[in-house]
Amino acid sequence: MKFSNLKVSPIQSAVALCIALTSSAFAQQSPNEITIVAEPSVKVSGFDGASQQELPISVTAFDNATLRDVGAQRISDALRLDASVSDSYNLPAYWDKLSVRGYALDNRYNYRREGLPISAETIIPMDNKERIELLKGTSGIQSGTSAPGGLVNYVVKRAPSSADKTVRDVTLSYGTGNNRLTAADLGGRFGEDARFGYRFNVAHEDLDPYIRDTKGHRNLVALAMDWRINARNRLEWEFEQSHHEQIGVNFYSLLGAGTNALHPTVDGTRNITRQPNSQPGVFDGQTGTLRWRHQLDNNWIWTTQAGVQHLRADDRLVYASGCPTAPTDRFCANGDFEIRDYRSDNERRNNEAIQTYLRGQELIAGLEHSFKLSVMRQRQINRMSATHTDELLGTTNSFNGGLITATTANSRGGPMTNNSDYNTEVALNDRVKLNPQTTAWLGLRHTQLNRQSVQTNGTEAVQDTRSVNTPWVALSHQPNANDTVYASYGYGLEAEATPKVSNYTNAGQPLPALRSTQREVGFKRQNQHSFWQATWFDITRPQTTNGLGCSNTVGSCTLQMDGQSHHHGLELSGVTKLSQWNLGGSAMWLDAKRENATIQTDLNGQRPINVPQYILRGMTEYRHTNIVGLRSGLRVSHEGKRHVTENGDIRLPAWTTVDATTHYDTKINHVASSWTLAINNLANKQYWRESPRQYGQYFLYPGAPRTVRATVVFHL
């Protein structure tokens, strides 16, 4: 698949909307019935046909209604509804970086779209997404290589299944700050026996958020179609093209040089690194999938799908680089810090994957087996610009702002790294009904990796070729129609290399495979009005020295394996409906620590940086009986203390925020509409949201102040 460059203005969006609205006559006939079995409710599990209640896996799905209610424009907006998820170096105007169960997700390997691997090293729009699926824990059976926190899958909006149903939604939204969004969502069926279906999404947003001096804009055009060829064959295809352009925002840091303390809580609306010459970061994406499904005899289904993702980025950020004098990993005691201008233009990341799989049921030795055999080939090619620039602009201050002291040019730029990854994965899943109440779940994935990297100047070529197996086993029991208990054990795998930084003696060299293990025990209860789940998990993962103790001197340290990280904890979640009330919430208690280190022995028993000990999320919503269509609710988020430094001598305080929403469904001139007024951080609490350590720096990022969002959706 190949797409031409396309930018959509508000006028073009309006024209496209008008043209599409005139096509409503397409959806008039009755649909052609097709016998292909429906897709499972949670695709990310890897066990097609199994409901969320049956699965011996901890999964959460956020449907389109929930995404619309919270105004989710990024995946971080949606996943923050789950207590297992927290921020992990999550910058505005940059791609999302999240952690699950205390482990940071890898943006190259922990994300899926329509079940196929993609790179999340870009800003992915949400306007054409039907739901977001989150699998929590080690995912070796679903993914050949990935970090052990979890796996995210985007599911795009598809055409209505019935010709009697059409989608004609126009959305107008204002906030948070001065953001202005116009979007249209159109869908229906047409042709003889309504064989063809379509879903068209277009959006334009002017970005002017609560953080000052961060203006930008974004666009999206997306089309999904399907063709019901006959009762046994269906062809589905879709593509999207997105553009995001915005001035970046940098973190604060600790105060050092004698003070060694948290920076006082400051105004979260300031962009402390903005300079007159700041340039916006630009992220363009072209993504599409093609899927063919064929119904075989005896209820077997053969599916083949291919996906293509072409990303281009101009990565630009004026950022804080630490105190000009020691310590350089934080601000000076008075708030001074060096400010640098990083630019890396024309970064290209291309992802291509093709997968074919068979699934069906067979009776073997008196037991019912549900098989799925899949083969996937993936190619991920990253091509960077020949060089990047990293210019020192001078010294500024986190309290006063502005460019205090200019300096002569001092560049730390140089060549970039090109990567080429080729993966072949073969997986077999088997769900065995031992008796009407008890099921055994078996899985094995074999992965062949071939990863190559080379500097853009042609030096330091490295190749990493290896084959790995990731087995998984679980047992579930349903004593009655409402309850499920299960236990599982599985492996995950990461294949990493030392960053190509000159202070490492083994820069660019592959590290031994990081094989994580997970044990999980869970209980689920579901009835007509509620769903509850309790999960205990235990994850271990080999740990590296992470570059701690390295200086700026060439060859000053070696990145190597040193002990393990051990995360175990308890997750509780549930939703229920009581008369006019909808109640829901989730909680996670997490004991995370370093173990068995022989080099960095002082870190044994220490909690990882930026990982809270517990997280609580809750919501309540009331549907008013005296005003039909009116509902109002509150959402509460509470995150516990977290380490800012490795030894825990500095910690972020716990924080709590409350969000309020009101939704009103009504008709205006016989046109149905949905109105939303949302106030986030109702008490206007000032707090530090997260405290990651990246690129040799200790970072602090403030939470958002009180913000207001008003949205209306017209259902034409």
Side-chain angles (χ1 to χ4, degrees):
M1 300 180 187
K2 187 175 180 62
F3 309 94
S4 60
N5 291 329
L6 177 62
K7 293 186 179 181
V8 182
S9 69
I11 295 177
Q12 290 171 321
S13 299
V15 171
L17 172 62
C18 293
I19 294 173
L21 287 174
T22 63
S23 65
S24 59
F26 282 153
Q28 299 298 326
Q29 287 88 15
S30 61
N32 180 39
E33 293 298 326
I34 189 166
T35 59
I36 288 179
V37 178
E39 289 287 344
S41 57
V42 182
K43 296 181 181 180
V44 74
S45 69
F47 287 92
D48 296 17
S51 68
Q52 185 172 352
Q53 170 69 10
E54 296 175 290
L55 286 169
I57 298 171
S58 183
V59 292
T60 304
F62 303 96
D63 60 18
N64 184 253
T66 301
L67 300 177
R68 187 172 58 247
D69 276 358
V70 301
Q73 293 300 324
R74 306 171 59 123
I75 192 172
S76 55
D77 298 332
L79 295 191
R80 285 198 196 103
L81 300 175
D82 192 295
S84 299
V85 183
S86 59
D87 291 300
S88 177
Y89 192 74
N90 205 3
L91 284 169
Y94 200 60
W95 56 64
D96 295 279
K97 299 194 71 172
L98 302 168
S99 72
V100 182
R101 292 182 174 177
Y103 289 103
L105 300 187
D106 189 324
N107 282 52
R108 293 186 64 188
Y109 303 113
N110 282 72
Y111 288 82
R112 298 289 183 270
R113 185 178 182 279
E114 291 292 295
L116 293 174
I118 61 169
S119 171
E121 292 183 324
T122 189
I123 297 178
I124 298 176
M126 299 289 290
D127 310 87
N128 68 321
K129 305 304 185 292
E130 180 64 32
R131 69 180 184 271
I132 303 296
E133 301 173 345
L134 171 65
L135 182 151
K136 291 176 278 189
T138 297
S139 55
I141 185 58
Q142 294 84 10
S143 171
T145 58
S146 62
L151 203 64
V152 174
N153 183 44
Y154 294 88
V155 180
V156 304
K157 294 178 180 178
R158 294 286 180 173
S161 58
S162 170
D164 299 329
K165 180 176 175 56
T166 59
V167 179
R168 297 288 185 272
D169 292 344
V170 177
T171 300
L172 304 173
S173 182
Y174 181 81
T176 57
N178 191 29
N179 286 3
R180 290 159 293 174
L181 168 68
T182 303
D185 181 7
L186 313 168
R189 306 203 67 82
F190 63 96
E192 182 182 356
D193 296 328
R195 291 179 181 271
F196 296 95
Y198 69 94
R199 193 70 175 266
F200 178 69
N201 284 267
V202 60
H204 173 83
E205 186 171 16
D206 292 314
L207 302 169
D208 187 8
Y210 65 88
I211 307 170
R212 297 189 296 270
D213 303 318
T214 58
K215 289 185 178 182
H217 64 273
R218 70 175 186 90
N219 302 308
L220 169 74
V221 174
L223 176 66
M225 298 195 71
D226 68 71
W227 177 20
R228 296 172 175 176
I229 302 171
N230 52 46
R232 286 180 174 264
N233 294 277
R234 178 183 296 178
L235 188 64
E236 301 172 326
W237 64 97
E238 58 82 24
F239 77 90
E240 69 181 51
Q241 180 151 340
S242 62
H243 174 82
H244 191 287
E245 183 173 332
Q246 189 177 9
I247 295 290
V249 182
N250 193 230
F251 288 89
Y252 288 77
S253 188
L254 297 173
L255 298 179
T259 304
N260 197 34
L262 284 176
H263 198 294
T265 302
V266 294
D267 183 1
T269 66
R270 290 182 57 211
N271 187 352
I272 64 171
T273 58
R274 175 66 188 272
Q275 296 297 315
N277 60 341
S278 295
Q279 294 294 313
V282 179
F283 301 92
D284 289 304
Q286 299 171 329
T287 309
T289 59
L290 176 66
R291 178 166 57 226
W292 174 61
R293 291 188 293 172
H294 176 63
Q295 180 85 51
L296 301 171
D297 294 333
N298 300 321
N299 292 323
W300 280 77
I301 295 177
W302 178 22
T303 301
T304 298
Q305 56 183 356
V308 175
Q309 181 190 42
H310 291 168
L311 305 177
R312 182 192 176 279
D314 294 332
D315 190 356
R316 303 162 178 165
L317 180 66
V318 176
Y319 70 98
S321 182
C323 185
T325 58
T328 59
D329 57 8
R330 64 200 74 189
F331 294 170
C332 302
N334 66 350
D336 282 354
F337 62 89
E338 286 188 339
I339 187 167
R340 306 188 73 97
D341 188 348
Y342 177 89
R343 301 189 187 186
S344 174
D345 290 344
N346 197 31
E347 297 180 354
R348 289 160 294 149
R349 297 173 173 88
N350 296 332
N351 232 307
E352 299 169 359
I354 184 168
Q355 180 186 51
T356 187
Y357 62 88
L358 281 168
R359 66 180 179 94
Q361 296 181 346
E362 291 291 341
L363 192 65
I364 302 177
L367 298 177
E368 180 183 304
H369 294 255
S370 297
F371 291 108
K372 180 180 178 181
L373 174 64
S374 67
V375 179
M376 186 180 72
R377 176 70 171 171
Q378 180 194 8
R379 179 173 67 178
Q380 188 178 102
I381 308 294
N382 292 356
R383 293 294 180 263
M384 303 292 106
S385 57
T387 60
H388 70 279
T389 59
D390 191 10
E391 298 289 342
L392 177 63
L393 301 180
T395 302
T396 188
N397 185 272
S398 58
F399 294 102
N400 303 321
L403 188 61
I404 300 174
T405 305
T407 185
T408 57
N410 180 0
S411 176
R412 294 196 303 213
M416 302 285 282
T417 302
N418 290 329
N419 295 289
S420 302
D421 291 5
Y422 302 88
N423 295 345
T424 301
E425 301 178 15
V426 180
L428 175 63
N429 295 353
D430 185 11
R431 177 161 51 114
V432 187
K433 280 280 189 181
L434 303 179
N435 58 51
Q437 290 80 36
T438 306
T439 303
W441 308 70
L442 309 171
L444 177 64
R445 182 174 294 267
H446 174 76
T447 304
Q448 292 182 328
L449 306 175
N450 186 341
R451 298 184 175 178
Q452 305 166 17
S453 66
V454 63
Q455 296 283 75
T456 51
N457 61 7
T459 64
E460 300 185 30
V462 176
Q463 182 164 336
D464 179 13
T465 302
R466 57 182 106 181
S467 297
V468 294
N469 297 311
T470 48
W472 182 84
V473 61
L475 187 69
S476 66
H477 180 70
Q478 293 183 285
N480 53 62
N482 296 329
D483 297 336
T484 301
V485 293
Y486 70 88
S488 67
Y489 180 84
Y491 289 96
L493 181 79
E494 297 167 88
E496 294 185 355
T498 305
K500 292 192 174 181
V501 180
S502 61
N503 54 346
Y504 288 115
T505 59
N506 58 338
Q509 296 302 312
L511 296 172
L514 307 181
R515 184 180 290 272
S516 57
T517 62
Q518 175 178 281
R519 301 166 181 86
E520 182 171 304
V521 177
F523 168 78
K524 300 179 182 181
R525 167 167 288 181
Q526 184 175 22
N527 56 40
Q528 185 177 358
H529 300 293
S530 62
F531 177 81
W532 304 95
Q533 180 170 321
T535 308
W536 173 86
F537 60 88
D538 186 288
I539 304 173
T540 57
R541 173 188 181 270
Q543 184 66 48
T544 66
T545 52
N546 281 334
L548 293 176
C550 292
S551 67
N552 292 327
T553 305
V554 174
S556 62
C557 60
T558 301
L559 188 66
Q560 54 190 305
M561 311 303 295
D562 187 26
Q564 66 181 14
S565 59
H566 185 188
H567 294 197
H568 68 275
L570 180 66
E571 295 169 339
L572 304 172
S573 62
V575 292
T576 188
K577 182 178 181 180
L578 301 173
S579 186
Q580 277 71 49
W581 291 92
N582 289 329
L583 306 173
S586 62
M588 180 186 68
W589 169 81
L590 177 63
D591 181 18
K593 57 189 175 183
R594 181 81 167 268
E595 295 178 337
N596 303 325
T598 58
I599 300 173
Q600 299 169 330
T601 56
D602 58 322
L603 298 184
N604 283 327
Q606 292 291 345
R607 190 174 190 83
I609 287 175
N610 199 34
V611 176
Q613 185 174 5
Y614 60 90
I615 300 177
L616 306 174
R617 317 276 196 212
M619 64 81 64
T620 178
E621 185 179 74
Y622 180 76
R623 293 182 177 271
H624 298 263
T625 56
N626 54 341
I627 303 178
V628 177
L630 180 64
R631 53 192 173 96
S632 54
L634 293 175
R635 293 185 183 272
V636 179
S637 291
H638 177 80
E639 297 196 13
K641 295 180 179 179
R642 66 188 77 199
H643 285 194
V644 180
T645 54
E646 287 78 10
N647 59 9
D649 60 337
I650 302 178
R651 301 185 184 186
L652 284 193
W655 55 267
T656 303
T657 59
V658 179
D659 304 333
T661 58
T662 296
H663 308 280
Y664 184 43
D665 298 325
T666 186
K667 285 189 176 182
I668 299 177
N669 293 329
H670 305 290
V671 175
S673 59
S674 301
W675 300 75
T676 297
L677 178 64
I679 305 176
N680 294 334
N681 193 1
L682 190 63
N684 199 28
K685 180 179 178 62
Q686 292 185 322
Y687 63 100
W688 293 114
R689 191 185 73 198
E690 64 162 321
S691 57
R693 189 181 192 276
Q694 293 282 341
Y695 312 113
Q697 298 283 315
Y698 294 103
F699 290 116
L700 302 171
Y701 195 78
R706 182 192 298 122
T707 57
V708 178
R709 172 177 56 88
T711 301
V712 58
V713 181
F714 294 104
H715 309 286
L716 304 176

